[in-house]
Amino acid sequence: MPISENVKNAIIDAVEKGFADQIEFTKTLVRFPSTRGNEHEIVKFITEELVQRGYEIDQFDIDRTAIEGHEGGGKFSSEHSTAPIVVGTHQPRHEVGRTLILQSHVDVVPSGPEDMWSHPPFEPHVKDGWLYGRGGADMKAGQAQIFFAMDALSRAGFVPAARVHLQTVVEEESTGNGALMTYLRGYDADAVLIPEPEEEMLVRANVGTLWFQVEVRGMPVHVREMGSGANAIDAAYRVIGALRGLEDAWNAEKADHRFFEDVEHPINLNIGKIEGGDWASSVPSWCRVDCRVAIYPGMKAVDAARQIKDTISAFAAKDAYLSESSPIVTFNGFFSEGYILEPGSDAETILGRAHRAATGENLQSFVTPGYLDCRVYQLYNQIPSLCYGPVSENIHGVDERVSVESIRRTTIAMALFIAEWCGVEAIGR
Amino acid sequence: MPISENVKNAIIDAVEKGFADQIEFTKTLVRFPSTRGNEHEIVKFITEELVQRGYEIDQFDIDRTAIEGHEGGGKFSSEHSTAPIVVGTHQPRHEVGRTLILQSHVDVVPSGPEDMWSHPPFEPHVKDGWLYGRGGADMKAGQAQIFFAMDALSRAGFVPAARVHLQTVVEEESTGNGALMTYLRGYDADAVLIPEPEEEMLVRANVGTLWFQVEVRGMPVHVREMGSGANAIDAAYRVIGALRGLEDAWNAEKADHRFFEDVEHPINLNIGKIEGGDWASSVPSWCRVDCRVAIYPGMKAVDAARQIKDTISAFAAKDAYLSESSPIVTFNGFFSEGYILEPGSDAETILGRAHRAATGENLQSFVTPGYLDCRVYQLYNQIPSLCYGPVSENIHGVDERVSVESIRRTTIAMALFIAEWCGVEAIGR
């Protein structure tokens, strides 16, 4: 049942009053250079913030054995983070509403060449209505929204009338193992909201993602005998060409995949990193290529992995050099399936109402061709999984930025959603 | 005038008697992991060996200003070696013969992946007549030959009847600046012999070499927006394609280049090293490619460099992405012209006679498509420059090896050449 106008107005007012602090808090979060493996400090900071607010704390490590036993577990490599997961839990006096998980991640992607940035990536600043900084949009603004939406309820005199878990994870950008670990730890609720930067829209469907590395080795020789040696860098590019063929084949099937029919290029194969050879005057004997590819919802990661391996093997068998020295394919990160949020859930209806109250607009949904932790909740918890958050530009790019006014609007929407989904109980009564 | 049978036999006998020690000495040299920038220890060792044998010592650094002022100077980068050059000089009591430079280099190329080697690359061993180890063939066997050919003369009771410079340089594998520095220091003679591993043949002509790096930068974006970003790794490969076009054009001209008409593929463009991107899930914003290309004798390095730059610029101008962000081309190593050893010199005649005495065969000549320090002596000292040495396999590759019996034969040839070119004077008389 919709919340009363009085409660609604009190919550909106509380968000507004806290908003300057919220932006400062977001900037504080951006100052942590929490790239993969370097999230320990920010998790500690988040934990202290949860403690100060009186949440019950559960901090735990990612359990490699448990993750490896699950079909959606991302593959471990030496780069896997060892930072812990932290969950803060709100318990109401009387549980009358529906329970909720609010999740964010604190890992951020590498900044790339810093000299391409207008300002240093971990020194946040606001200009022309945008908050700049690596990870500001993706998703430290969202992490701050979770705290400040809940705080706004408190300042308005309420707490949710149901259990709420504030879950802060790592590994969202590389394996999704942080979110999966909360599921394996036993966390569950009636719905989840993840405030990723989604243009004030709701994610209707989302691809799965696989990471893999292709390693080519060749016989190194002096350049004077170049014809007799195999150049591993050239060979690696031939393998990339074969993988582009698979990408094309998968994109050509988009009409068969609900919600993806009209996405221009739903399946992106990204050649993200390459390293090969020792110096200019030796024919390179090795080359490693790190790739990321998307898959449609409903395709199992293990089936996609088999197709990738088969594509490379079939190509290598016909290649004069590669047939002698078959490329090694290693899955070393994401190994995840996509998901669809079926239209018509109560959770979506209530978020739609909250969004309209905050923005005056109807909530639009869309399809994203990137990984989202919502897949854990939608596929394994099997609960409505809402990915919804502020307008951003250049996430994962140079001068990543998030709209300050959009943070304001979506924080209001989040706070109203929490109040209506969980119900509210007055503090101290 | 040919040396007498008695002198000849005494020298051959002395080489044979010293040969076991010579192989041990070669192995000692291989144990120095003297890759670029790491040659200080081996230069110190060589210097001590020169001192022990009574040579006059001149040790000096590479003078960057002097090198940069010379058209054949290799381009400096942060990887340029700071190891010194050492020259040991033999002065006869009475100079009656022709003066000679014996040159070798002690820098070796990187070993590549060590697990591809049968034995660790810097632990030399002999098996089935081959001496294995990185740098054993190229050219620590040659460095040892210089010492032991001269030692054999001494043991036979003679010294050269002319000034002989034993020149040990670095940077042969990357800029050629070590050899050029000896020229700029003022070293000169009537001929030079460099015992590179040349299959017991004489190098008739040799290409020049240029090193350059191509750097591509792109706007990094999230893979979900891949179409709007430019993948720097993909773009780098398009540039490589354009350079392959230049390579094809240069090879197509081979009929116009004396001694190269029948070489199958004289101009090799090697893509030796590549690095790009930060990780799988970001569209890479940068990629650097290290290249090495050959040029025919007679073509100036500066003209080749202009053609390379022009090729890349012309391609970039037509490329949707590269026209917005033109690749940066940096020449960062070899900047050298090729050379031709004109047939008919006395030096060649005398080496031919020595080779026949050592092997029973006529001396063959051939053309090599790799850099050689002889270019300094042929182009700038303008003296007959003999590149001649033992049979090898896999130089710059895995399990680099040099034939022990070929070392023996070519050491005899070298000792006889020195004796006849310089003349001999009996020790102590």
Side-chain angles (χ1 to χ4, degrees):
Chain A
M1 203 176 76
I3 49 179
S4 72
E5 281 299 305
N6 280 354
V7 171
K8 188 170 90 175
N9 290 335
I11 291 172
I12 294 173
D13 193 50
V15 170
E16 296 284 3
K17 286 195 171 135
F19 193 65
D21 286 348
Q22 181 178 341
I23 295 301
E24 281 311 305
F25 188 86
T26 306
K27 288 163 75 176
T28 298
L29 295 178
V30 173
R31 287 189 191 98
F32 289 90
S34 51
T35 50
R36 191 182 195 191
N38 302 307
E39 312 93 340
H40 298 75
E41 284 302 311
I42 195 170
V43 173
K44 195 174 156 213
F45 176 80
I46 297 287
T47 304
E48 286 162 3
E49 293 290 321
L50 289 167
V51 168
Q52 278 177 27
R53 286 164 169 83
Y55 293 101
E56 286 172 23
I57 302 296
D58 181 22
Q59 199 180 91
F60 48 95
D61 291 336
I62 293 176
D63 175 345
R64 180 167 178 164
T65 307
I67 294 285
E68 288 181 341
H70 191 278
E71 65 166 348
K75 303 304 179 190
F76 282 71
S77 73
S78 60
E79 278 99 53
H80 200 288
S81 181
T82 58
I85 309 302
V86 62
V87 176
T89 296
H90 159 75
Q91 295 284 8
R93 276 170 298 155
H94 309 289
E95 183 148 310
V96 294
R98 284 163 291 200
T99 58
L100 180 64
I101 291 168
L102 298 167
Q103 194 216 279
S104 66
H105 68 84
V106 288
D107 53 313
V108 303
V109 306
S111 55
E114 296 207 4
D115 62 355
M116 293 175 78
W117 287 69
S118 321
H119 283 68
F122 297 108
E123 293 177 16
H125 71 288
V126 174
K127 189 181 168 195
D128 298 334
W130 294 95
L131 192 160
Y132 286 78
R134 166 58 79 235
D138 185 9
M139 62 173 288
K140 288 170 173 176
Q143 174 73 63
Q145 286 182 302
I146 289 174
F147 274 113
F148 280 78
M150 291 290 283
D151 291 354
L153 264 64
S154 299
R155 277 198 303 276
F158 306 104
V159 289
R163 181 167 39 87
V164 179
H165 300 298
L166 282 63
Q167 306 190 167
T168 294
V169 306
V170 296
E171 284 285 324
E172 195 273 347
E173 298 289 5
S174 40
T175 60
N177 286 343
L180 184 59
M181 193 64 222
T182 66
Y183 165 73
L184 293 169
R185 181 83 170 178
Y187 283 97
D188 202 5
D190 297 319
V192 62
L193 173 64
I194 303 184
E196 288 270 11
E198 299 296 0
E199 313 306 306
E200 300 188 13
M201 291 191 283
L202 178 66
V203 175
R204 173 65 63 212
N206 174 247
V207 293
T209 301
L210 283 86
W211 271 19
F212 58 99
Q213 185 179 75
V214 181
E215 179 169 11
V216 170
R217 289 205 163 196
M219 281 307 297
V221 297
H222 192 289
V223 282
R224 74 182 185 181
E225 301 154 0
M226 200 172 80
S228 72
N231 184 316
I233 296 172
D234 288 341
Y237 271 105
R238 293 200 298 279
V239 175
I240 291 170
L243 289 169
R244 291 264 177 243
L246 180 64
E247 180 190 24
D248 290 344
W250 283 355
N251 278 301
E253 291 171 11
K254 69 181 182 182
D256 303 334
H257 294 274
R258 198 159 55 108
F259 300 115
F260 288 85
E261 303 90 338
D262 299 323
V263 178
E264 190 181 338
H265 195 266
I267 303 300
N268 286 326
L269 167 69
N270 185 52
I271 307 305
K273 185 175 176 181
I274 191 166
E275 282 186 301
D278 299 301
W279 78 350
S281 276
S282 299
V283 178
S285 56
W286 62 277
C287 188
R288 287 188 292 269
V289 182
D290 284 284
C291 307
R292 170 270 187 206
V293 74
I295 58 174
Y296 296 108
M299 178 183 260
K300 295 284 179 195
V302 69
D303 293 332
R306 191 177 335 105
Q307 285 195 49
I308 291 164
K309 283 193 156 187
D310 288 352
T311 298
I312 293 173
S313 298
F315 177 78
K318 293 179 298 181
D319 186 89
Y321 157 62
L322 292 167
S323 60
E324 299 292 313
S325 173
S326 196
I328 299 159
V329 183
T330 309
F331 292 87
N332 60 357
F334 286 122
F335 205 78
S336 78
E337 197 176 325
Y339 76 89
I340 290 171
L341 171 71
E342 291 295 341
S345 67
D346 278 3
E348 180 173 340
T349 303
I350 291 173
L351 181 62
R353 199 143 53 215
H355 177 77
R356 201 175 318 111
T359 67
E361 314 264 339
N362 286 332
L363 180 60
Q364 306 290 319
S365 66
F366 76 134
V367 166
T368 60
Y371 172 85
L372 291 172
D373 271 344
C374 273
R375 59 106 195 189
V376 168
Y377 303 95
Q378 192 67 48
L379 295 174
Y380 310 126
N381 295 83
Q382 298 186 305
I383 59 176
S385 302
L386 309 174
C387 196
Y388 165 87
V391 170
S392 72
E393 291 183 350
N394 295 12
I395 64 167
H396 292 214
V398 160
D399 289 342
E400 173 179 350
R401 52 193 175 267
V402 55
S403 160
V404 173
E405 283 310 305
S406 183
I407 294 174
R408 186 198 305 266
R409 286 191 294 272
T410 50
T411 307
I412 291 170
M414 283 176 65
L416 296 177
F417 170 78
I418 296 165
E420 184 170 348
W421 177 258
C422 301
V424 291
E425 58 182 24
I427 291 173
R429 256 174 285 172
Chain B
M1 203 176 72
I3 50 179
S4 72
E5 281 299 304
N6 280 354
V7 170
K8 186 169 92 175
N9 290 335
I11 290 172
I12 293 173
D13 193 48
V15 171
E16 295 283 2
K17 284 192 172 138
F19 194 64
D21 286 348
Q22 182 178 342
I23 295 300
E24 281 311 304
F25 187 86
T26 306
K27 288 162 76 174
T28 298
L29 296 179
V30 173
R31 287 190 193 96
F32 290 89
S34 51
T35 50
R36 190 181 195 191
N38 302 306
E39 311 94 341
H40 298 75
E41 284 302 309
I42 194 169
V43 173
K44 194 174 157 214
F45 175 83
I46 297 288
T47 305
E48 286 162 3
E49 293 289 323
L50 289 167
V51 168
Q52 277 176 29
R53 285 165 171 83
Y55 294 102
E56 287 172 21
I57 302 297
D58 181 22
Q59 200 179 92
F60 48 97
D61 291 335
I62 293 177
D63 176 344
R64 179 168 179 163
T65 306
I67 294 285
E68 288 181 341
H70 192 277
E71 65 165 351
K75 302 305 179 189
F76 281 71
S77 73
S78 58
E79 277 97 54
H80 199 287
S81 180
T82 58
I85 309 302
V86 61
V87 176
T89 296
H90 159 76
Q91 296 282 9
R93 275 168 301 155
H94 310 288
E95 184 149 309
V96 294
R98 288 163 288 201
T99 58
L100 181 64
I101 291 169
L102 298 168
Q103 195 217 277
S104 66
H105 67 85
V106 287
D107 52 315
V108 303
V109 305
S111 55
E114 295 208 3
D115 62 355
M116 294 177 78
W117 287 70
S118 317
H119 284 66
F122 297 109
E123 294 177 18
H125 72 288
V126 174
K127 190 181 168 195
D128 298 335
W130 294 95
L131 192 162
Y132 286 78
R134 166 59 78 236
D138 184 10
M139 63 171 291
K140 287 171 174 177
Q143 174 72 62
Q145 285 183 303
I146 290 174
F147 275 113
F148 280 77
M150 291 289 283
D151 290 353
L153 263 65
S154 299
R155 278 198 303 275
F158 306 106
V159 290
R163 180 168 41 85
V164 179
H165 301 296
L166 283 63
Q167 305 190 167
T168 294
V169 306
V170 296
E171 285 285 323
E172 194 273 347
E173 298 289 6
S174 40
T175 58
N177 285 344
L180 184 59
M181 193 64 224
T182 67
Y183 166 73
L184 294 170
R185 180 84 169 177
Y187 284 97
D188 201 5
D190 297 319
V192 62
L193 173 64
I194 302 183
E196 287 270 12
E198 299 296 1
E199 314 306 307
E200 301 188 12
M201 293 192 282
L202 178 66
V203 175
R204 173 67 62 213
N206 175 247
V207 293
T209 302
L210 283 87
W211 272 19
F212 58 99
Q213 185 178 75
V214 182
E215 179 169 11
V216 169
R217 289 207 162 192
M219 280 307 295
V221 296
H222 191 289
V223 281
R224 73 181 185 182
E225 301 154 2
M226 202 171 81
S228 72
N231 184 315
I233 295 173
D234 289 342
Y237 207 64
R238 294 200 297 277
V239 176
I240 291 170
L243 290 169
R244 291 267 175 241
L246 180 63
E247 180 190 24
D248 289 346
W250 283 354
N251 277 301
E253 291 171 10
K254 70 181 183 181
D256 303 334
H257 295 274
R258 197 159 57 110
F259 299 115
F260 288 85
E261 304 90 339
D262 299 322
V263 178
E264 191 182 336
H265 196 265
I267 302 300
N268 287 325
L269 167 69
N270 185 51
I271 308 304
K273 185 175 176 181
I274 191 166
E275 282 186 302
D278 300 300
W279 78 349
S281 276
S282 299
V283 178
S285 57
W286 61 278
C287 188
R288 288 189 292 268
V289 182
D290 284 283
C291 306
R292 170 270 188 206
V293 74
I295 58 174
Y296 296 108
M299 179 184 259
K300 294 285 179 193
V302 70
D303 293 333
R306 191 176 335 105
Q307 285 195 47
I308 290 164
K309 284 193 155 189
D310 288 351
T311 298
I312 293 173
S313 298
F315 177 78
K318 292 180 299 180
D319 186 271
Y321 158 61
L322 293 166
S323 60
E324 299 292 314
S325 174
S326 197
I328 300 159
V329 183
T330 308
F331 291 87
N332 59 358
F334 286 122
F335 205 79
S336 78
E337 197 176 327
Y339 75 88
I340 290 171
L341 172 70
E342 291 294 342
S345 66
D346 278 3
E348 180 173 342
T349 303
I350 291 172
L351 181 63
R353 196 144 54 216
H355 177 78
R356 202 176 315 110
T359 67
E361 313 265 343
N362 287 332
L363 179 61
Q364 307 290 319
S365 66
F366 75 135
V367 166
T368 60
Y371 173 85
L372 291 171
D373 271 344
C374 273
R375 60 106 195 189
V376 168
Y377 303 95
Q378 192 67 50
L379 296 174
Y380 310 126
N381 295 81
Q382 299 186 305
I383 59 176
S385 302
L386 309 174
C387 196
Y388 165 86
V391 170
S392 71
E393 292 184 348
N394 295 11
I395 64 167
H396 292 213
V398 160
D399 288 344
E400 172 179 351
R401 53 192 174 266
V402 55
S403 161
V404 173
E405 284 310 305
S406 183
I407 294 174
R408 186 196 307 264
R409 286 190 294 270
T410 51
T411 306
I412 291 169
M414 282 175 66
L416 296 177
F417 170 78
I418 296 166
E420 184 169 346
W421 178 259
C422 301
V424 290
E425 59 181 24
I427 292 173
R429 259 175 285 173

